[in-house]
Amino acid sequence: MAAKIANALTAVLVLVAAVTLAVGGVGIMNIMLANVRARIREIGIRKALGAHQPRNQAAIPAEAVIISLAAALWARLWGFPYPCRSASSPITRCRSLPGR
């Protein structure tokens, strides 16, 4: 009985994960499409100045990666200490922070 329930919960979680990944992928595609459409003039100017097609194609994803890494770093630096302020925090590494 417990195995059937565990298998059903696993199937539901896999389904939820798959739907979440699909929705996230569609969202990222829409954002990238909007970014490219907003930068059509810049791409045209780069072509006129002699930039090759692979360099134009690599510029926008490279910028997205840099912005994502900067946001992740910012979130890691500023967002991590805050859960530690709770007395019921399950994070054990927080115990060594100053002020605890």
Side-chain angles (χ1 to χ4, degrees):
M1 180 71 172
K4 286 183 179 181
I5 293 173
N7 287 338
L9 286 175
T10 301
V12 168
L13 288 176
V14 167
L15 180 65
V16 168
V19 170
T20 302
L21 284 173
V23 169
V26 169
I28 290 172
M29 287 189 305
N30 282 336
I31 290 169
M32 292 300 289
L33 178 64
N35 191 11
V36 170
R37 286 192 178 206
R39 296 175 71 174
I40 286 176
R41 296 182 91 198
E42 177 186 341
I43 293 170
I45 291 170
R46 289 174 58 124
K47 278 185 177 180
L49 293 175
H52 297 288
Q53 186 68 18
R55 196 169 285 253
N56 278 337
Q57 289 175 344
I60 294 173
E63 180 182 323
V65 167
I66 290 170
I67 291 171
S68 297
L69 288 175
L73 178 65
W74 183 86
R76 178 76 170 133
L77 291 175
W78 292 102
F80 178 70
Y82 293 109
C84 301
R85 297 187 193 276
S86 169
S88 62
S89 174
I91 301 173
T92 58
R93 290 182 288 177
C94 297
R95 310 265 187 261
S96 63
L97 290 175
R100 285 277 298 169

